[in-house]
C-alpha cells in the first residue's frame, strides 16, 4: 500500500479500511462484503483502491501471522473466503472491458500441488479488464491440462501461479513441455506468486516474472505488441 495515499484519505474512510482489514483478518465475510460495498458506493473508491488499502493489506496481516504461528489453516481459510466474496463484488467492475480491442488469449492456472488461487484469480480479472480473453484453469493444474488448453484455445499467453516453494519448480516442467511440443516460440510465458523472483523466472525460461496483477497486465500488453510485430 502507498502509505502517503492512505494518509491523505478522509479519517472516516481510513477507519472504514482499517475495520475492513480487521474483519478480513477475523474472516467475517458479511462485514467484509458490506465494507467493500460501502467503500465503492458510499466513498466512490475504485476497485484498485479497495484492494490496495483494504483487502490486500488485510491478507498480508493474515500471511504474517500465519507464518509466525499465530493463525492456523482454519482461520486463514475463513479469511480467504471473505476475500473471495469481496472479489466477487469487484469482479464485474474490474473485468468490464467494453469497447476495448481484444488483446489476445491467456490460459492461466495455479500449478500442480498448489491450491492458492486468490492472487491468480485477481490477475485473471485484471487481464480480462484490460481486454484479454482469459481461460482460467483453476488450481492444481498439471502440464497436460495446460498444454491441452493452449492447443484448444490457440493461446497467446500462458500464466502460471505458485505460492509454495515446493510447487514453483513445476513451472519448469510445463515450460519444458511447451518446448517439446514446439510451442515455446509462439506462447508468451508469464509467472507469478509470492515466493518467485526475476532470477527464478529467467532460470526456468519464462518470459517475465510478475510481482503483482498490475505488472502482469503491463507485461502481457508489452509482450503481445512484440509478438504482433514479429508475426
Ligand atoms: Co497458504 N501459504 N498454505 N493458504 N497462504 C502461504 C503461501 C505462506 C507464504 C504462508 C506463510 O507461511 N506465511 C506459506 C508458504 C510457505 C512457503 O512455501 N515458503 C503457506 C503454506 C505453508 C500453506 C500450507 C502448506 C499450510 C498447511 O497446510 N500447513 C497449505 C498449502 C496447500 C497447498 O497449496 N497444497 C496452505 C493453504 C492455504 C489456505 C487454503 C488456507 C489459503 C489459500 C486459499 C485460497 O487461495 N483459496 C492460504 C492462504 C490464503 C495463504 C496466504 C496467507 C495468502 C495468499 C494470498 O491469497 N495472498 C499466504 C501468505 C502470503 O502470501 N503472504 C500463504 C493475497 C494475493 C492477492 O496475493 O497470492 O501473492 P498473491 O498474488 C499476487 C502476486 O503474487 C501476483 O499477483 C497477485 C495479485 O497482485 N501473482 C501472479 C500471483 N499469481 C500470479 C500469476 C501470474 C502473475 C502474477 O501469472 C501471470
Amino acid at each position: 500500500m502507498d502509505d502517503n495515499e492512505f494518509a491523505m484519505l478522509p479519517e472516516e474512510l481510513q477507519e472504514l479500511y482499517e475495520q475492513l482489514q480487521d474483519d478480513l483478518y477475523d474472516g467475517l465475510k458479511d462485514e467484509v462484503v458490506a465494507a467493500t460495498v460501502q467503500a465503492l458506493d458510499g466513498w466512490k473508491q475504485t476497485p484498485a483502491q479497495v484492494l490496495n488499502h483494504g483487502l490486500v493489506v488485510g491478507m498480508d496481516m493474515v500471511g504474517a501471522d500465519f507464518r509466525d504461528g499465530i493463525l492456523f489453516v482454519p482461520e486463514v481459510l475463513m479469511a480467504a473466503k471473505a476475500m473471495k466474496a469481496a472479489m466477487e463484488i469487484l469482479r464485474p467492475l474490474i473485468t468490464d472491458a467494453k469497447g476495448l480491442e481484444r488483446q489476445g488469449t491467456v490460459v492461466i492456472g495455479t500449478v500442480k500441488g498448489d491450491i492458492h488461487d486468490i492472487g491468480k484469480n485477481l490477475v485473471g480479472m485484471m487481464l480480462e479488464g484490460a481486454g484479454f480473453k482469459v481461460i482460467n484453469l483453476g488450481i492444481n493444474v498439471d502440464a497436460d491440462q495446460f498444454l491441452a488448453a493452449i492447443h484448444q484455445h490457440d493461446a497467446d499467453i500462458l500464466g502460471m501461479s505458485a505460492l509454495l516453494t515446493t510447487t514453483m519448480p513445476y513451472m519448469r516442467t510445463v515450460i519444458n513441455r511447451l518446448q517439446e511440443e514446439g510451442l515455446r516460440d509462439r506462447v508468451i510465458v508469464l509467472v507469478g506468486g509470492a515466493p518467485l523472483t526475476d532470477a527464478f523466472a529467467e532460470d526456468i525460461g519464462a518470459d517475465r516474472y510478475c510481482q503483482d496483477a498490475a505488472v502482469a497486465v503491463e507485461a502481457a500488453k508489452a509482450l503481445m505488441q512484440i509478438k504482433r510485430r514479429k508475426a
Side-chain angles (χ1 to χ4, degrees), residues 9 121 168:
L9 297 176
N121 289 345
M168 52 192 256

Side-chain angles (χ1 to χ4, degrees), residues 7-39:
M8 301 289 283
L9 297 176
E11 206 172 314
E12 240 184 291
L13 180 55
Q14 289 186 23
E15 281 167 15
L16 176 71
Y17 277 133
E18 281 161 359
Q19 188 62 50
L20 193 162
Q21 294 160 16
D22 287 347
D23 289 342
L24 182 73
Y25 182 95
D26 292 332
L28 301 174
K29 191 172 93 180
D30 293 344
E31 285 77 354
V32 169
V33 166
T36 299
V37 171
Q38 200 184 334

